[in-house]
Amino acid sequence: MGTPRIIKKYANRRLYDASISRHVTLDDIRRLIVGGEKITVVEDKTGEDITRLILLQVIAEQEHGGQPILSTQTLESIIRCYGNAMEQGMARCLEQSVLRFSHERQTPEPERVEDVSTAPQA
């Protein structure tokens, strides 16, 4: 994975991927991410990096359209953490949990079983 693919968001709210010379949808962006692509989304007029905003929209679309990953209770807990002392702790916890989950998905099953069997018993 080299440099991120640049996607521009225009005033009409359309997203444009210059590398393939066409407009893209949030689902196209989801497919790029699932495929391992790094992207950067910039506001065309200002050059502002709005990648996080677009990725949140992709998540919202996925949560709405299928089997949600984030329960209402989880979302409420995340919202409650904004603007208080728990904000940084929640951010670290979520990031570590997602990284650990991603790593476990990439670890072959026999290694995971072996790791559990060699873990010290409480």
Side-chain angles (χ1 to χ4, degrees):
M1 268 190 293
T3 58
R5 184 184 292 211
I6 304 297
I7 311 259
K8 291 186 178 184
K9 182 177 180 213
Y10 288 95
N12 64 2
R13 300 191 318 209
R14 294 191 73 184
L15 300 164
Y16 187 78
D17 182 346
S19 70
I20 58 172
S21 301
R22 74 175 185 91
H23 288 95
V24 293
T25 63
L26 291 175
D27 194 53
D28 293 327
I29 289 176
R30 182 194 62 79
R31 279 191 242 119
L32 288 172
I33 299 298
V34 169
E37 291 260 2
K38 284 277 198 193
I39 66 161
T40 299
V41 184
V42 294
E43 190 73 50
D44 182 55
K45 286 196 187 255
T46 65
E48 177 186 1
D49 185 340
I50 57 168
T51 305
R52 291 185 70 254
L53 174 65
I54 298 301
L55 294 177
L56 284 166
Q57 288 177 357
V58 169
I59 290 170
E61 196 170 86
Q62 290 299 295
E63 287 287 306
H64 179 70
Q67 179 67 33
I69 292 174
L70 302 168
S71 68
T72 301
Q73 183 179 2
T74 300
L75 292 169
E76 289 170 348
S77 295
I78 292 169
I79 290 167
R80 285 186 191 103
C81 288
Y82 282 98
N84 67 42
M86 296 187 327
E87 187 172 345
Q88 290 299 320
M90 175 64 92
R92 278 192 304 277
C93 181
L94 285 171
E95 188 161 344
Q96 289 171 357
S97 293
V98 170
L99 289 173
R100 187 172 30 256
F101 180 79
S102 295
H103 175 72
E104 287 176 7
R105 284 186 56 208
Q106 294 172 0
T107 304
E109 185 68 31
E111 287 180 36
R112 279 188 273 171
V113 172
E114 185 177 306
D115 287 346
V116 170
S117 65
T118 60
Q121 299 295 317

